[in-house]
Amino acid sequence: MKFGMSQPVRRREDPRLLRGEGCFIDDRAPSGALHAVVLRSPFAHARMRSIDTAAARAAPGVRAILTRADLDAAGVAAFACMAAPPETDWAGLRDGDAFRERHQPALAGDRVRFVGECVAFVVADTRRQALDASERIEVDYEPLPAVTACDEAPGGPPVWDDVADNVSFRWEIGDAAATDAAFAAAHRVVRRRIVNSRAQLCPLEARGVVVEYDGERWTVHVPTQMPHGIRRQLAAALGVEEARIRVLVEDVGGGFGGKNSLYPEHVLAALAARGLENPVKWIADRSEAFLGDAHGRDLVSHAELALDSGHRILGLRMRNFANLGAYTASRGAIPPTLGPLMASNTYRIPAVHADVAACFTHTVPTDPYRGAGRPEGLYVVERLMDAAARETGLGPVEFRRRNLIPPDAFPYQSPTGLLYDPCEFADVLESALERADATGFPARREEAGAAGFLRGLGISNYVERCGGGAGLSERSDLLVDADGTVTLLIGSMSNGQGHETAYSQLLNEHLGLPFEKIRIVQGDTDRVVSGTGTGGAWSLPMGGGALVRAVERLVETAKPIAADALEAAADDVEFRDGAFRVAGTDLALSFADTATRAAAAGHARSDGSPGLEAFAVYEPANNTYPYGTHLCEVEVDPETGAVRIVAYTAVHDFGRVLNPLLLDGQVHGGLAQGLGQALLERTVYDREGQLLSGSFMDYCIPRADDLPDFAFEPWVTPSPGNPLDIKGCGEAGAAGSPPALINAILDALATAGVTDFDMPATPERVWRAIRAARSASGD
């Protein structure tokens, strides 16, 4: 098919977006809408002795001011966690421990616990009036001591009075006894303290919400990745049935995990809309995004590898401190536990044990960020692999070769309980080395040295658990009109990936329909029966799986109609290349003509309208396992600390490629985010909990000239458990790039005496590392 599988089709979405016809949240302006502003805490930790809103209520244009007392009177609940630490045969809470959830309220009560926490919600005729009124609210705060670093949280000032050690949960995975035995027998132990820095998510479109209330039901316009999840959480917070809420999502300008969950502003706007009987609109500015959006990453790991005398890995042990922030966010328990689940990565490691302390601090709560713990876990392992390679003298490539899972070991049971599909780790590694011209690197390093620069080559391997997996599912509904037009209702939610194009290609491939006969509906909880949403690189593996299952059912429904028209037995009719065909003849009837005949014959859908329909729910039996190798080449100016990425190569196996253009975009975007975090991005709190990096003046994200041309090569093997042979690609770039970059920088700095370094590699930090190494050596 010209527009089917594996074709480089340009995105269907782009023409209307380029014409300015997109509808993002700030474009939504219902008649009579009022505007809201949030008053936020200026303290990381303080008692609220009192709040006086009298002067603000008297300000021009003010319609309402909500405080915690209003929420309590309305029975509004705090946001419950949507995910708990997993309990499996390999993992669970430590003996005798509990999951101490602390749910975030929509507005703070007697205490604030992070700078930016919502204190009051002001609604006025205009945003300017609401902002002016918010500045008239008087809050009497009593500042209290704060703690911001996760590894300082145990023993630090308590975030919660009843959690003395500031630990929300202690969780472990793997076999502790076997791992201890491996270390006892080790010929060499390699240790590192590794920091994965806190990141801002920085989507192009900031958060916002517009809520309408008709006296019975709410219509909530919100940019989210998970419409049905938002509806479920909002209904629980308001104490109403889900049927009373319709969530509508149109265009979304990026999510990256930060738009998965419910936020205070969603609840506050819904409550205000009900009370005022007017639509209420709240749009964050960028400063609020730094203070109020969920942050990502923030992990400190004390990790060690046990090696035998032949430099093969015997065991891996990690003691991790994960920063949850002030509250357990909706999915905040996922990243600290998902990272260790992937601890063995692409390597044969007989014994693994990870001990995780997920800690409360006086900071913005953390939630999944592109990869949701997998990049953090892979970063630890790949940093350790390089450290071990240098200490053994084998070098990063040979040490990895020696410890890769061999081809004859698949399907492979990991020491943390995962069952890997067959993977060609060694072949992909060799392909990446060849593509990056690794054999020519020594000459390039010598040439850079002659020019006064330090050159380094870094490597990282990765495998991810993606594609949904057991326990998750997606639903697809197909509605066929009399003219053969097909409407797909799907529970995934695009936030920039190009779902409209991807699903259209699948329908073109399987039904032979031109794009003009295909409509895609996402993000409407009234029309889409159910939906898991988008995350975990599962939209195509899981949503696409549901789509092809629905197509199969639709074809079976339509086959007797086509057989009757062709005057053939249904068993003699097959569907191929967009038409029903009688075997052994040239008789055929197109899918569109079959749909027309079905409607004319009185076939009706469940709502009574003429046409055909089919639906399917797809629940994968296992995850998919995309994998790959990254090589990063850098040049460092030792006099300024400036780092330049001169080349970047990535070879990935994502299974069958649906659209090479969409795939390139996903990989390039992930690389930019991962490299940005490792090279430039740094979220900084001072000792009092003030956010010092609260704008793009202080928090640097990558620009085009910070990045090289990426050399990306797909390595295609089918995913045995997926109906489309697809594995998922959304998070790979962000997972493999941070360790590849930092390993490259350490390779470059080795000649300067630097043996360890934590992200981000800003010029100042690199310069200081070089100076400290020279000072230690007496130079």
Side-chain angles (χ1 to χ4, degrees):
M1 293 292 180
K2 180 179 179 181
F3 299 108
M5 284 286 289
S6 304
Q7 299 304 308
V9 178
R10 292 188 179 275
R11 294 180 7 138
R12 290 188 71 185
E13 300 89 335
D14 288 347
R16 66 176 177 82
L17 295 174
L18 291 170
R19 291 193 300 264
E21 296 171 1
C23 187
F24 296 89
I25 188 61
D26 202 20
D27 296 318
R28 178 59 58 184
S31 176
L34 304 175
H35 298 263
V37 164
V38 176
L39 178 68
R40 300 181 183 276
S41 169
F43 294 99
H45 192 200
R47 289 190 183 90
M48 289 175 56
R49 295 194 184 104
S50 65
I51 181 169
D52 185 350
T53 63
R57 291 180 191 277
V62 171
R63 298 294 192 92
I65 297 177
L66 300 179
T67 65
R68 177 62 176 272
D70 299 298
L71 271 60
D72 291 343
V76 174
F79 318 146
C81 295
M82 303 292 285
E87 299 278 346
T88 71
D89 292 340
W90 287 271
L93 295 170
R94 291 183 58 177
D95 291 342
D97 204 8
F99 179 27
R100 288 171 284 276
E101 302 178 52
R102 294 298 179 267
H103 302 159
Q104 183 174 358
L107 291 172
D110 61 352
R111 191 180 296 193
V112 292
R113 291 181 169 85
F114 66 91
V115 172
E117 184 165 8
C118 300
V119 172
F121 192 69
V122 181
V123 185
D125 292 334
T126 69
R127 188 179 188 280
R128 181 73 258 175
Q129 289 173 328
L131 186 61
D132 288 344
S134 71
E135 294 173 353
R136 301 187 186 192
I137 298 175
E138 296 183 4
V139 184
D140 184 9
Y141 293 102
E142 177 190 347
L144 298 169
V147 62
T148 61
C150 55
D151 54 347
E152 297 177 4
V159 181
W160 297 90
D161 292 340
D162 58 347
V163 186
D165 61 356
N166 284 328
V167 176
S168 171
F169 62 88
R170 292 185 184 275
W171 180 87
E172 61 183 342
I173 189 169
D175 189 328
T179 305
D180 288 345
F183 276 83
H187 176 74
R188 179 191 298 269
V189 175
V190 179
R191 298 181 176 90
R192 287 293 185 274
R193 177 185 182 270
I194 299 170
V195 177
N196 200 297
S197 54
R198 177 175 282 236
Q200 304 279 342
L201 277 58
C202 303
L204 186 62
E205 178 195 33
R207 289 191 302 110
V209 64
V210 177
V211 182
E212 301 173 82
Y213 183 72
D214 64 6
E216 179 60 30
R217 298 186 77 215
W218 287 267
T219 298
V220 180
H221 305 269
V222 59
T224 179
Q225 300 167 232
M226 298 180 175
H228 290 83
I230 290 287
R231 182 180 68 172
R232 185 164 57 252
Q233 284 189 285
L234 182 57
L238 295 174
V240 301
E241 297 294 323
E242 286 186 43
R244 293 186 62 192
I245 298 173
R246 180 187 189 185
V247 172
L248 274 175
V249 187
E250 294 172 285
D251 293 308
V252 182
F256 313 123
K259 293 178 181 174
N260 285 352
S261 304
L262 191 71
Y263 280 89
E265 298 87 357
H266 302 154
V267 179
L268 297 170
L271 195 62
R274 181 176 66 180
L276 294 169
E277 299 183 351
N278 280 84
V280 173
K281 179 176 183 176
W282 172 80
I283 303 294
D285 62 29
R286 189 58 67 176
S287 294
E288 284 187 288
F290 278 94
L291 295 172
D293 288 9
H295 292 179
R297 313 292 191 234
D298 205 341
L299 178 84
V300 175
S301 182
H302 300 267
E304 48 190 354
L305 277 179
L307 308 179
D308 68 13
S309 58
H311 308 317
R312 286 182 169 83
I313 303 172
L314 299 174
L316 166 64
R317 189 160 54 195
M318 295 189 292
R319 184 164 57 93
N320 293 350
F321 293 89
N323 197 335
L324 298 180
Y327 300 94
T328 37
S330 296
R331 294 170 175 82
I334 293 176
T337 55
L338 188 51
L341 184 65
M342 303 300 306
S344 60
N345 198 16
T346 62
Y347 307 108
R348 176 173 266 175
I349 304 179
V352 169
H353 183 255
D355 186 321
V356 178
C359 302
F360 293 119
T361 64
H362 295 102
T363 62
V364 175
T366 57
D367 227 6
Y369 170 42
R370 200 167 191 164
R374 283 161 290 194
E376 293 95 306
L378 294 170
Y379 183 72
V380 171
V381 175
E382 287 301 306
R383 286 288 311 281
L384 269 181
M385 292 298 291
D386 252 39
R390 298 187 190 288
E391 289 192 21
T392 60
L394 285 182
V397 174
E398 181 54 36
F399 184 71
R400 285 174 170 82
R401 283 175 176 150
R402 190 167 297 195
N403 286 285
L404 286 173
I405 301 168
D408 61 3
F410 293 97
Y412 178 75
Q413 182 78 64
S414 84
T416 57
L418 299 178
L419 185 63
Y420 291 4
D421 292 334
C423 299
E424 299 176 351
F425 294 146
D427 290 342
V428 166
L429 171 61
E430 299 306 323
S431 176
L433 291 168
E434 181 180 358
R435 181 76 183 266
D437 185 22
T439 57
F441 173 73
R444 296 193 296 276
R445 167 177 270 176
E446 184 175 348
E447 182 181 353
F453 297 104
L454 307 176
R455 203 171 183 103
L457 182 66
I459 187 171
S460 71
N461 291 322
Y462 91 98
V463 62
E464 289 191 282
R465 186 190 76 157
C466 294
L472 290 176
S473 64
E474 195 57 271
R475 174 172 172 145
S476 167
D477 288 75
L478 296 173
L479 308 179
V480 186
D481 295 340
D483 66 350
T485 296
V486 172
T487 299
L488 167 67
L489 306 174
I490 188 83
S492 62
M493 185 65 236
S494 179
N495 39 99
Q497 296 93 335
H499 287 186
E500 185 179 350
T501 303
Y503 290 132
S504 295
Q505 285 186 255
L506 290 177
L507 287 170
N508 175 265
E509 174 79 11
H510 290 277
L511 291 177
L513 296 174
F515 281 8
E516 57 267 23
K517 289 286 189 178
I518 297 171
R519 291 192 291 259
I520 310 296
V521 176
Q522 303 177 87
D524 184 343
T525 58
D526 273 11
R527 297 187 65 189
V528 179
V529 174
S530 65
T532 301
T534 290
W538 66 54
S539 289
L540 276 182
M542 199 159 66
L547 187 155
V548 296
R549 294 286 187 258
V551 166
E552 292 167 358
R553 291 185 176 183
L554 182 63
V555 167
E556 289 305 306
T557 298
K559 184 184 288 187
I561 301 166
D564 184 64
L566 294 168
E567 299 180 349
D571 289 345
D572 294 333
V573 175
E574 61 181 7
F575 186 76
R576 177 168 44 86
D577 298 332
F580 291 94
R581 305 176 188 276
V582 180
T585 76
D586 59 359
L587 295 175
L589 188 68
S590 71
F591 178 82
D593 288 342
T594 305
T596 300
R597 287 177 177 270
H603 288 271
R605 300 192 289 249
S606 55
D607 63 359
S609 60
L612 301 173
E613 66 181 350
F615 81 91
V617 175
Y618 176 63
E619 180 178 346
N622 189 18
N623 298 99
T624 60
Y625 290 92
Y627 60 93
T629 295
H630 292 222
L631 279 96
C632 179
E633 195 164 330
V634 301
E635 205 168 69
V636 179
D637 183 341
E639 299 307 314
T640 66
V643 176
R644 186 169 68 94
I645 306 172
V646 295
Y648 201 99
T649 301
V651 178
H652 289 277
D653 184 355
F654 297 123
R656 191 179 180 191
V657 176
L658 172 61
N659 183 322
L661 297 180
L662 295 183
L663 178 60
D664 285 352
Q666 286 290 295
V667 173
H668 291 183
L671 291 173
Q673 284 188 294
L675 294 172
Q677 184 198 3
L679 185 65
L680 303 165
E681 301 177 36
R682 190 182 182 202
T683 302
V684 181
Y685 284 96
D686 68 12
R687 301 296 297 182
E688 287 74 42
Q690 291 295 325
L691 182 64
L692 302 183
S693 52
S695 77
F696 286 132
M697 293 293 290
D698 303 296
Y699 187 89
C700 184
I701 59 175
R703 301 175 303 180
D705 60 357
D706 292 314
L707 303 172
D709 288 335
F710 297 125
F712 163 56
E713 176 184 322
W715 184 277
V716 180
T717 64
S719 178
N722 184 267
L724 294 169
D725 295 329
I726 288 174
K727 300 180 181 181
C729 67
E731 294 160 342
S737 53
L741 174 60
I742 298 301
N743 286 342
I745 292 170
L746 279 168
D747 185 48
L749 299 185
T751 56
V754 178
T755 59
D756 198 14
F757 185 84
D758 281 315
M759 66 165 80
T762 62
E764 179 195 358
R765 289 167 55 81
V766 173
W767 182 86
R768 289 185 182 278
I770 294 171
R771 291 302 178 273
R774 287 177 176 174
S775 177
S777 66
D779 290 349

